């Protein structure tokens, strides 16, 4: 199989899977909440994508490098939103209101 076809397939696949994160990033940042997003899932996802990026760098694959670099930025944005918007502001205040 021609290497150009293999690399093109990887680029298209990377583009599509990366593009899939854009709606989630926009939704989280516009709504200013990530309450329904799993913190553990996005921590694991970011770690996995970072390793795919390292792997792509090690083997010199432009498709892997580009896709995982952009995807890491997008998933890191969701993770940052989760940490920024959904941290408990004041646990005492939250509990004081629920002790009726």
């Amino acid at each position: 199989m021609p290497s150009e076809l293999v690399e093109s397939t990887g680029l298209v696949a990377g583009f599509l899977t990366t593009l899939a994160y854009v709606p989630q990033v926009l939704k989280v940042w516009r709504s200013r909440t990530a309450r329904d997003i799993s913190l553990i899932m996005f921590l694991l996802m970011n770690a996995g994508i970072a390793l795919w990026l390292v792997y792509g760098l090690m083997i010199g694959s432009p498709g892997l490098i580009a896709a995982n670099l952009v995807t890491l930025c997008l998933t890191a944005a969701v993770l940052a939103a989760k940490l920024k918007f959904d941290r408990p502001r004041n646990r005492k205040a939250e509990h004081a209101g629920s002790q009726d």
Side-chain angles (χ1 to χ4, degrees):
M1 190 171 298
S3 63
E4 294 84 14
L5 179 61
V6 172
E7 196 61 38
S8 295
T9 302
L11 286 168
V12 171
F15 176 78
L16 293 175
T17 56
T18 297
L19 186 63
Y21 282 100
V22 172
Q24 188 67 64
V25 171
L26 293 174
K27 182 178 183 195
V28 167
W29 282 95
R30 286 179 181 157
S31 69
R32 298 286 195 234
T33 184
R35 203 167 282 132
D36 293 332
I37 302 251
S38 168
L39 177 61
I40 293 172
M41 182 269 188
F42 267 86
L43 287 169
L44 292 170
M45 181 64 72
N46 275 274
I49 293 167
L51 288 173
W52 275 114
L53 176 58
V54 169
Y55 176 70
L57 290 166
M58 292 169 76
I59 66 170
S61 172
L64 274 176
I65 295 166
N68 286 292
L69 184 60
V70 175
T71 303
L72 185 58
C73 291
L74 292 170
T75 58
V78 173
L79 183 57
K82 176 70 176 170
L83 296 172
K84 178 179 174 134
F85 301 139
D86 293 341
R87 66 177 181 258
R89 287 185 174 81
N90 185 344
R91 291 196 184 269
K92 288 181 182 179
E94 288 177 10
H95 292 298
S98 64
Q99 293 183 17
D100 295 323

